[in-house]
């Protein structure tokens, strides 16, 4: 079997800044034809999106898929609720964790895996303000160290 190519469509960098990601899951997504064509052109945003579990189904809210320009009457609402496709045991595990205080599910990235559209979702716990500050300090220190290393290697 040939190795499937992975082409990134949208990335949610803000999720890593606002949350501690405990576990990651790969989910399929239920889409209509014009939405897939729009995704092939890279017209997607998951910045403000979130995931909820309702009636044993996992749904993705606020994922913006721009209407396909040649889609006319077949275009769907850009912000419609999209159903995520996961195994039953994964849904049960996620809903058990969601019952605990402080856990949420956030979409991390949308990508093509072969010809299929996949969403990587993460089980996340919210960061406090001081956690965010510590992350920024660590990032600055790493950047500073890389800059010093680069300068030393040039001479």
């Amino acid at each position: 079997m040939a190795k499937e190519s992975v082409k990134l469509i949208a990335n949610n960098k803000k999720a890593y800044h606002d949350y501690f990601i405990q576990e990651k899951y790969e989910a399929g997504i239920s889409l209509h034809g014009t939405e897939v064509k729009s995704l092939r052109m890279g017209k997607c945003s998951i910045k403000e999106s979130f995931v909820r579990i309702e009636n044993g189904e996992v749904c993705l809210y606020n994922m913006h898929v721009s209407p396909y320009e040649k889609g006319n009457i077949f275009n769907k609402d850009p912000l419609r609720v999209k159903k995520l496709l996961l195994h039953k045991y994964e849904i049960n595990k996620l809903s058990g964790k969601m019952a605990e205080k402080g856990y949420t599910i956030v979409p991390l990235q949308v990508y093509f895996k072969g010809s299929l559209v996949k969403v990587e979702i993460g089980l996340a716990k919210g960061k406090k303000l001081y956690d965010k500050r510590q992350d920024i300090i660590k990032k600055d220190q790493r950047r500073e160290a890389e800059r010093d290393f680069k300068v030393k290697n040039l001479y």
Side-chain angles (χ1 to χ4, degrees), residues 104-154:
T104 186
I105 305 172
V106 290
L108 302 173
Q109 58 186 19
V110 180
Y111 54 92
F112 278 104
K113 188 172 183 182
S115 62
L116 304 173
V117 180
K118 299 285 184 176
V119 179
E120 186 178 58
I121 58 175
L123 183 67
K125 203 171 184 88
K127 284 186 182 179
K128 302 280 189 268
L129 187 62
Y130 57 83
D131 292 327
K132 292 179 189 177
R133 284 191 191 131
Q134 286 175 338
D135 278 357
I136 291 169
I137 291 168
K138 282 181 191 172
K139 204 178 283 179
D140 286 345
Q141 287 172 344
R142 189 175 340 107
R143 201 176 297 126
E144 195 78 26
E146 285 174 1
R147 192 179 301 126
D148 291 345
F149 182 70
K150 201 174 193 179
V151 170
K152 285 177 186 173
N153 284 349
L154 288 174

Side-chain angles (χ1 to χ4, degrees), residues 6-143:
V6 175
K7 182 185 168 230
L8 187 68
I9 302 166
N11 200 355
N12 191 357
K13 292 179 185 172
K14 196 168 186 245
Y16 291 99
H17 179 69
D18 292 340
Y19 301 99
F20 292 114
I21 308 297
Q22 252 88 38
E23 295 176 37
K24 293 180 182 177
Y25 295 91
E26 182 180 70
I29 184 167
S30 178
L31 296 169
H32 291 282
T34 53
E35 290 176 320
V36 177
K37 288 182 178 188
S38 186
L39 285 174
R40 287 209 184 279
M41 297 169 73
K43 309 243 174 154
C44 172
S45 172
I46 55 171
K47 277 189 173 63
E48 301 296 320
S49 57
F50 58 96
V51 178
R52 277 202 189 132
I53 300 175
E54 296 165 345
N55 309 333
E57 290 184 345
V58 184
C59 298
L60 179 62
Y61 292 84
N62 284 358
M63 175 179 157
H64 189 278
V65 178
S66 299
Y68 183 58
E69 63 250 11
K70 297 185 181 98
N72 56 44
I73 62 165
F74 299 106
N75 280 331
K76 300 290 180 199
D77 176 31
L79 288 173
R80 77 177 182 86
V81 178
K82 292 153 188 76
K83 184 177 166 187
L84 296 182
L85 310 170
L86 285 162
H87 291 286
K88 187 61 96 184
Y89 69 90
E90 290 176 322
I91 295 171
N92 291 338
K93 190 174 178 183
L94 283 171
S95 59
K97 285 284 191 179
M98 287 285 286
E100 292 179 34
K101 195 171 186 325
Y103 279 104
T104 186
I105 305 172
V106 290
L108 302 173
Q109 58 186 19
V110 180
Y111 54 92
F112 278 104
K113 188 172 183 182
S115 62
L116 304 173
V117 180
K118 299 285 184 176
V119 179
E120 186 178 58
I121 58 175
L123 183 67
K125 203 171 184 88
K127 284 186 182 179
K128 302 280 189 268
L129 187 62
Y130 57 83
D131 292 327
K132 292 179 189 177
R133 284 191 191 131
Q134 286 175 338
D135 278 357
I136 291 169
I137 291 168
K138 282 181 191 172
K139 204 178 283 179
D140 286 345
Q141 287 172 344
R142 189 175 340 107
R143 201 176 297 126

